[in-house]
C-alpha cells in the first residue's frame, strides 16, 4: 500500500525488511518483472512475489501496510 515502508524504495533499500526471502517477481499495471534487479523501485500497488523458507516468509507479516493474497495455484 501507499503507506508501506517499501513504497518508493529500491529492492536494495527494502532488503532490510526481507532479509531471508528472495523477491522473485513484481507485478504492476504495465507488466510482470521476473527477478527484478536491485535498483528496481517498488511502487504502491505493486504485487510482490517472494520465495523462501516458510518460517522466514512469516517475517513479511511485520511489514506495515503490506497486503497478502492467497496463491490461486
Amino acid at each position: 500500500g501507499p503507506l508501506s515502508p517499501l513504497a518508493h524504495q529500491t529492492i536494495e533499500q527494502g532488503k532490510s525488511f526481507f532479509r531471508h526471502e528472495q523477491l522473485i517477481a513484481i507485478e504492476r499495471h504495465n507488466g510482470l518483472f521476473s527477478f527484478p534487479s536491485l535498483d528496481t523501485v517498488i511502487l504502491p500497488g505493486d504485487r510482490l512475489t517472494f520465495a523462501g523458507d516458510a518460517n522466514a516468509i512469516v517475517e513479511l507479516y511485520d511489514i506495515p501496510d503490506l497486503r497478502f493474497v492467497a496463491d490461486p495455484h
Side-chain angles (χ1 to χ4, degrees):
L3 301 178
S4 171
L6 295 176
H8 305 290
Q9 300 293 311
T10 65
I11 293 172
E12 179 70 35
Q13 292 167 321
K15 286 196 66 72
S16 64
F17 290 97
F18 47 93
R19 296 177 302 277
H20 306 289
E21 303 82 18
Q22 176 69 36
L23 178 58
I24 60 170
I26 296 177
E27 182 181 350
R28 62 174 59 140
H29 68 289
N30 62 341
L32 177 68
F33 304 92
S34 298
F35 300 101
S37 65
L38 292 176
D39 63 345
T40 300
V41 175
I42 300 169
L43 300 176
D46 282 354
R47 180 172 282 188
L48 311 177
T49 302
F50 291 94
D53 178 84
N55 293 324
I57 294 292
V58 171
E59 293 178 1
L60 297 173
Y61 285 91
D62 294 333
I63 301 174
D65 205 35
L66 194 65
R67 298 182 191 115
F68 294 87
V69 295
D71 183 352
H73 303 288

